[in-house]
């Protein structure tokens, strides 16, 4: 199994087994989407071919992440979307993206999101901002400026509220060997 697929599966259920894979693939639309995304971007030609088939069959209405988007290990999409991510966005390892989230740009340079970042529901991240490692973005926030590492930010427009317990919402983080 592809290492990226394993990392995503581990984030969802805390284990990497064929049974867990089958269960998530059958019952979780976000996981199915990420399997197609990971395989279509694989360096293995057989995986890439399977990924192209799955990519054509994916549900485009709920999750829109272009296949060229850079995403690290262990992405967790809560409640199966809907999610819209710009092709120019970069997402780090062990990130959570909640439902109704948009990461976009009007000028072609979308956000860079660090490792172990939790993005709450109904968040809009606009333009070329940097969200630091272990940050938490509260629900309903509009992020237009950089958020430092280990910060909790919320609001419209998002501002740093505190630096308490960074990364607390990241369950089952994938540790790459």
């Amino acid at each position: 199994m592809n290492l990226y697929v394993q990392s995503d599966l581990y984030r969802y259920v805390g284990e990497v087994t064929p049974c867990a894979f089958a269960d998530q693939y059958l019952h979780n639309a976000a996981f199915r989407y990420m399997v197609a995304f990971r395989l279509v971007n694989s360096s293995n030609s057989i995986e890439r071919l399977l990924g192209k088939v799955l990519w054509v069959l994916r549900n485009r209405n709920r999750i829109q992440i272009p296949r060229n988007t850079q995403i690290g290990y262990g992405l967790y999409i809560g409640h199966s979307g809907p999610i819209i991510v710009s092709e120019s966005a970069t997402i780090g390892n062990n990130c959570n993206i909640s439902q109704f989230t948009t990461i976009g740009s009007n000028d072609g340079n979308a956000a860079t999101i660090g490792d172990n970042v939790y993005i709450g529901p109904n968040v809009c991240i606009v333009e070329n901002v940097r969200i630091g490692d272990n940050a938490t973005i509260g629900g309903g926030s509009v992020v237009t400026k950089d958020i430092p590492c280990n910060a909790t930010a919320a609001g419209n427009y998002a501002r740093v509220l505190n630096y308490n317990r960074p990364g607390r919402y990241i369950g089952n983080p994938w540790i790459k060997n």
Side-chain angles (χ1 to χ4, degrees):
M1 187 183 319
N2 180 297
L3 191 58
Y4 283 101
V5 173
Q6 289 179 35
S7 70
D8 294 340
L9 178 60
Y10 188 80
R11 290 296 317 286
Y12 280 93
V13 295
E15 63 182 354
V16 179
T17 63
C19 234
F21 177 85
D23 181 57
Q24 287 300 302
Y25 195 83
L26 291 173
H27 299 105
N28 188 328
F31 182 73
R32 267 193 311 276
Y33 186 94
M34 287 311 298
V35 168
F37 178 87
R38 299 303 194 177
L39 294 182
V40 78
N41 289 306
S42 175
S43 59
N44 180 307
S45 59
I46 294 171
E47 287 180 354
R48 193 169 44 253
L49 180 61
L50 176 59
K52 286 179 181 179
V53 171
L54 296 175
W55 190 253
V56 170
L57 299 174
R58 76 193 186 283
N59 182 348
R60 294 182 195 136
N61 296 328
R62 298 190 54 80
I63 301 174
Q64 295 178 27
I65 303 174
R67 60 185 275 198
N68 297 338
T69 306
Q70 294 179 356
I71 299 175
Y73 293 96
L75 180 66
Y76 180 94
I77 297 175
H79 304 288
S80 297
I83 307 288
I84 299 174
V85 177
S86 172
E87 178 175 42
S88 60
T90 301
I91 300 172
N93 299 322
N94 296 318
C95 289
N96 284 30
I97 299 178
S98 299
Q99 67 275 17
F100 300 105
T101 294
T102 301
I103 303 171
S105 173
N106 290 321
D107 66 10
N109 295 318
T112 299
I113 299 169
D115 296 340
N116 304 312
V117 173
Y118 173 85
I119 301 171
N122 295 312
V123 169
C124 186
I125 301 173
V126 183
E127 299 303 337
N128 188 16
V129 296
R130 166 97 173 104
I131 298 176
D133 296 343
N134 304 309
T136 299
I137 309 298
S141 298
V142 177
V143 181
T144 59
K145 297 191 188 298
D146 292 356
I147 305 297
C149 295
N150 304 316
T152 297
N156 183 357
Y157 298 100
R159 62 185 174 91
V160 174
L161 302 176
N162 62 54
Y163 292 90
N164 301 339
R165 298 176 34 223
R168 66 187 170 273
Y169 297 119
I170 303 300
N172 302 324
W174 176 259
I175 312 280
K176 184 180 172 200
N177 295 336

